[in-house]
């Protein structure tokens, strides 16, 4: 008794490509069909030879990536998260790189989309989590460096959908002797809102065990204030696109100020991403933003470089003297970044 409407994704190949075998024509039509599906479905796409080249490159990249995990070609990089009240580095965000044997060091954008499509992102995420916990534990045992409060690790959507994620996280923490309060898991706003009920359940389980939860790239998704209030969160990370335009457009400055005020009212800490200038630092300080991250402080660095960075910041530099003169209530670290000894 119901009317059902069916649509089709169609791939078309023409005789101009001179196929000699029918299976070759079907292969290329199939390739064009999948391009149509990825473009939103319910449409047709005419085959272009570049599509086949793209498919071959993608297949080669997937094969290489599987080998990269097995051959220990992955690397981690760390970018400091700095207190905007004291100027001290209190945490590091962990980023992944791929030391490709032919193409050299690849950034996340070059291979994580394929890793996500193929499901390899789950294995990569587990490896990054364990590597970050191991380095963090080693730093905490050293003297003569600022006491690190936390290590931040990104979560992909497929990791979030993994039923055993809390067990994977707690196993990594226990294996390396890291307290749950020292780990911040960063999830983008869009990934949370893809299935907010499931996300709230999984993240809530992790948070009850002491792990901190951050919303990454906040402001670029579509979460409602009601949903935000119901999620088990500790930190809002303000997307760098807002920070970059803050000095030039008062509307973006007003938006950043609104986010910091919202976070304070919800009992959340704020981290501004993508800071590149001292003017941005000053503006964020005036808005009571808690922490900052970006090239103004340091670019992503290797584990050894991160340790050298920490040693160079054992004391507060003179440029932060005005920050240290703020009221005592502004000087203490945010409780969500506190980590017990």
């Amino acid at each position: 008794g119901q009317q059902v409407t069916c649509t089709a994704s169609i791939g078309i190949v023409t005789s101009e490509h001179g196929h000699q075998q029918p299976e070759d024509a079907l292969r290329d039509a199939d390739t064009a069909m999948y391009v149509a599906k990825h473009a939103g479905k319910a449409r047709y796409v005419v085959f272009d030879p570049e599509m086949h080249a793209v498919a071959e490159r993608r297949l080669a990249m997937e094969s290489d990536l599987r080998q990269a995990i097995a051959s220990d070609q992955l690397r981690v990089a760390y970018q400091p998260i700095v207190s905007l009240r004291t100027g001290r580095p209190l945490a590091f965000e962990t980023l992944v790189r791929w030391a490709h044997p032919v193409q050299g060091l690849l950034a996340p954008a070059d291979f994580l989309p394929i890793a996500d499509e193929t499901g390899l992102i789950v294995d990569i995420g587990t490896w990054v989590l364990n590597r970050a916990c191991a380095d963090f534990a080693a730093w905490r045992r050293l003297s003569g460096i600022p006491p690190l409060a936390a290590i931040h690790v990104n979560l992909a959507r497929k990791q979030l959908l993994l039923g055993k994620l809390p067990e994977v996280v707690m196993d990594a923490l226990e294996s390396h002797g890291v307290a749950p309060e020292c780990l911040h898991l960063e999830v983008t706003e869009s990934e949370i809102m893809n299935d907010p009920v499931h996300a709230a359940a999984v993240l809530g389980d992790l948070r009850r065990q002491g792990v901190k939860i951050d919303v990454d790239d906040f402001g670029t998704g579509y979460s409602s204030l009601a949903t935000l209030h119901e999620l088990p969160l500790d930190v809002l990370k303000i997307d760098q696109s807002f920070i970059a335009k803050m000095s030039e457009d008062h509307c973006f400055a007003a938006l950043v100020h609104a986010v910091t005020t919202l976070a304070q009212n919800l009992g959340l800490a704020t981290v501004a991403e993508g800071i590149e200038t001292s003017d941005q630092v000053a503006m964020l300080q005036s808005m009571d933003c808690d922490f900052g991250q970006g090239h103004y402080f340091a670019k992503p660095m290797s584990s050894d470089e991160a340790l050298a960075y920490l040693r160079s910041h054992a004391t507060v530099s003179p440029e932060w003297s005005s920050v240290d003169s703020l009221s005592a209530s502004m000087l203490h670290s945010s409780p969500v970044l506190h980590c017990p000894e």
Side-chain angles (χ1 to χ4, degrees):
Q2 300 294 325
Q3 181 178 357
V4 178
T5 301
C6 296
T7 62
S9 298
I10 304 174
I12 301 172
V13 63
T14 66
S15 59
E16 68 176 289
H17 300 295
H19 295 96
Q20 299 300 312
Q21 299 296 327
E23 55 266 28
D24 293 340
L26 286 172
R27 177 201 63 204
D28 291 344
D30 192 55
T31 297
M33 181 197 69
Y34 276 101
V35 172
K37 290 170 70 72
H38 285 300
K41 304 181 180 180
R43 65 190 66 202
Y44 71 88
V45 168
V46 179
F47 175 77
D48 182 277
E50 178 61 20
M51 295 178 188
H52 185 64
V54 169
E56 285 189 326
R57 289 196 296 268
R58 184 191 178 284
L59 183 61
M61 180 69 79
E62 179 184 340
S63 178
D64 288 350
L65 187 55
R66 291 183 185 277
Q67 187 65 28
I69 298 173
S71 303
D72 196 28
Q73 295 174 8
L74 298 179
R75 302 288 184 269
V76 290
Y78 297 102
Q79 188 170 38
I81 297 173
V82 175
S83 169
L84 295 181
R85 299 169 182 172
T86 67
R88 293 186 184 277
L90 295 180
F92 279 106
E93 179 180 353
T94 311
L95 307 166
V96 65
R97 302 287 188 265
W98 178 10
H100 193 283
V102 176
Q103 301 181 43
L105 195 65
L106 299 180
D110 296 326
F111 63 93
L112 285 188
I114 292 178
D116 189 59
E117 290 178 22
T118 59
L120 292 172
I121 192 67
V122 174
D123 291 337
I124 292 175
T126 300
W127 181 88
V128 171
L129 174 63
N130 279 275
R131 183 69 264 165
C133 287
D135 286 344
F136 178 79
W139 292 331
R140 294 267 294 179
R141 290 192 292 267
L142 298 175
S143 58
I145 63 174
L148 274 181
I151 189 75
H152 291 230
V153 178
N154 292 283
L155 276 183
R157 183 176 64 87
K158 289 189 176 179
Q159 289 177 275
L160 195 59
L161 295 174
L162 188 66
K164 60 179 181 178
L165 177 62
E167 289 83 356
V168 170
V169 171
M170 299 313 293
D171 285 348
L173 292 171
E174 184 177 351
S175 296
H176 301 286
V178 177
E181 294 81 6
C182 296
L183 175 64
H184 283 240
L185 294 177
E186 299 191 5
V187 190
T188 66
E189 186 179 3
S190 297
E191 287 166 347
I192 291 176
M193 296 311 300
N194 184 65
D195 188 349
V197 175
H198 177 77
V202 175
L203 298 177
D205 188 4
L206 286 162
R207 195 165 182 264
R208 282 188 292 274
Q209 297 185 67
V211 176
K212 305 300 181 183
I213 307 299
D214 300 9
V215 177
D216 197 11
D217 301 338
F218 184 74
T220 60
Y222 52 91
S223 62
S224 67
L225 296 182
T227 304
L228 187 65
H229 175 68
E230 294 169 358
L231 291 171
L233 304 176
D234 297 282
V235 178
L236 295 184
K237 298 192 74 175
I238 307 171
D239 187 70
Q240 60 183 352
S241 61
F242 291 90
I243 306 303
K245 299 175 183 177
M246 190 173 56
S247 301
E248 304 169 1
D249 191 330
H250 72 277
C251 292
F252 282 92
L255 287 171
V256 173
H257 194 192
V259 172
T260 58
T261 302
L262 171 66
Q264 290 169 2
N265 291 334
L266 293 176
L268 307 176
T270 48
V271 178
E273 299 181 286
I275 298 176
E276 295 188 351
T277 68
S278 58
D279 288 343
Q280 291 170 347
V281 171
M283 292 182 70
L284 291 164
Q285 288 172 344
S286 70
M287 298 174 187
D288 291 343
C289 184
D290 299 302
F291 305 96
Q293 179 181 355
H295 289 182
Y296 176 79
F297 302 108
K299 295 181 179 180
M301 60 192 89
S302 68
S303 178
D304 290 341
E305 291 170 336
L307 179 56
Y309 174 87
L310 287 173
R311 285 176 170 152
S312 70
H313 287 75
T315 57
V316 179
S317 60
E319 66 188 89
W320 292 91
S321 58
S322 60
V323 182
D324 289 334
S325 67
L326 295 174
S327 64
S329 63
M330 292 288 290
L331 285 174
H332 64 79
S333 297
S334 172
V336 300
L337 281 177
H338 170 70
C339 180
E341 294 294 340

